[in-house]
Amino acid sequence: MQTPLSNAELRKLKARAQLMEPILKVGKAGLSEAFLKSVDEALAHHELVKIKFADFKEEKKTLSPQLAEKTSSHLVMRVGNVVVLYRKKAEATKAEEGAVSNPS
């Protein structure tokens, strides 16, 4: 289990998210393996990711926490049909550095 974000951290992330456009959309396939992989990659690159529910709008309240859990990220906020996830970059960066230092 990850440590919860402080109120100050949440406020900063919400402010950053306001200026962002959604970069992923939950479509007809829902939370498929391919979609989860896309979210995981987006979090690794951007830390803060905005996702729009194009489909499954009725289920967004239950799917949002599942999405955060499956991608090991924090659910920053959910407004309308948009959800914002955050995952600190350090974890992914360390793994990438390890891969670079051991060329095969």
Side-chain angles (χ1 to χ4, degrees):
M1 178 101 185
Q2 27 183 337
T3 57
L5 296 169
S6 71
N7 286 339
E9 288 173 309
L10 276 174
R11 275 196 307 275
K12 286 178 188 173
L13 292 171
K14 285 178 182 180
R16 276 177 53 196
Q18 291 289 327
L19 305 172
M20 296 170 55
E21 289 294 319
I23 60 171
L24 294 167
K25 287 187 180 178
V26 178
K28 289 178 175 52
L31 303 185
S32 66
E33 286 300 316
F35 180 75
L36 291 173
K37 188 174 189 298
S38 298
V39 174
D40 195 54
E41 289 172 6
L43 285 165
H45 284 39
H46 304 288
E47 279 189 331
L48 194 63
V49 176
K50 200 178 222 183
I51 302 167
K52 184 169 182 134
F53 279 85
D55 291 304
F56 295 96
K57 292 177 183 172
E58 301 304 313
E59 296 92 345
K60 66 185 175 250
K61 286 183 181 177
T62 54
L63 290 178
S64 299
Q66 287 176 26
L67 185 55
E69 187 181 321
K70 289 179 179 183
T71 57
S72 303
S73 60
H74 293 278
L75 178 58
V76 175
M77 67 179 183
R78 191 186 70 243
V79 178
N81 293 321
V82 175
V83 64
V84 177
L85 299 178
Y86 170 76
R87 185 175 68 201
K88 208 173 191 127
K89 228 179 199 176
E91 302 164 20
T93 310
K94 289 176 189 169
E96 288 169 7
E97 287 172 0
V100 172
S101 63
N102 298 343
S104 302

